[in-house]
Amino acid sequence: HVGTSAEYRHRDISQSVTYNPQTTVCTYRPVNVHGNYHVEVKMDFTRLLDRQNRWTWQSNLTARLDHSVDHVLFEDQTESCENAVNTLTLHENAYLQYERGPLSLRATGDADWRHSEGRMRDFSTLNAIDWQYGLSGRYTLPRLKTTFSADMKMYSRRGYGERAMNSDELVWNASVSYP
């Protein structure tokens, strides 16, 4: 499957602000902004890898460009000005799965890269990547009709300005269920 989409918004509303230094009062006013848009291209691919249909591989790739227009007020200004940020996002999600009767095993991977650039004078270009990978499994005991499930995923982030945001977190879930 291959697809594309585009959206252009001509009259979005943004919040502008005026600051009066004598009274220290901020006045907010909704204003129309023009030129918000996004363009997206997507490709999904699924393939059975054996004749018994036990092994499946799937890949989903998306590229998206967002152009966002709004208002910003800088510390040394009294009137907000129009601002634009462009964000390019590339996203890949893939898995390999084995299924045979009551047994299901899956290995997954997911990566999301974002590149953002803005026209603001203090805007720091962002090149961030979030990725996750893991394993999951499920098995149902046929006679007892009891299902054992477990999944383990590593969530990782890099490229953010705040050190605390650049992290690795391992999450492990397990459950037993009976109808």
Side-chain angles (χ1 to χ4, degrees), residues 48-101:
L48 296 172
L49 301 176
D50 64 332
R51 293 182 193 259
Q52 296 84 15
N53 297 335
R54 294 180 182 154
W55 289 95
T56 306
W57 172 63
Q58 186 175 76
S59 174
N60 307 301
L61 177 64
T62 305
R64 180 181 172 117
L65 175 64
D66 286 289
H67 179 78
S68 302
V69 180
D70 61 4
H71 274 84
V72 64
L73 178 66
F74 292 107
E75 192 173 306
D76 60 345
Q77 292 181 325
T78 58
E79 188 84 24
S80 63
C81 57
E82 198 170 271
N83 173 53
V85 175
N86 291 312
T87 301
L88 174 64
T89 306
L90 300 176
H91 180 248
E92 168 65 23
N93 173 280
Y95 71 80
L96 176 66
Q97 180 169 307
Y98 175 79
E99 280 193 286
R100 184 172 183 186

Side-chain angles (χ1 to χ4, degrees), residues 3 5 10 14 25 46 53 57 68 70 75 91 95-96 112 115 119 127 130 141 148 151 161 167 170-171:
S5 67
H10 179 62
S14 176
V25 172
T46 304
N53 297 335
W57 172 63
S68 302
D70 61 4
E75 192 173 306
H91 180 248
Y95 71 80
L96 176 66
D112 204 13
H115 174 81
R119 290 192 303 210
N127 281 303
D130 298 357
L141 295 169
F148 298 92
D151 65 80
S167 64
L170 181 64
V171 178

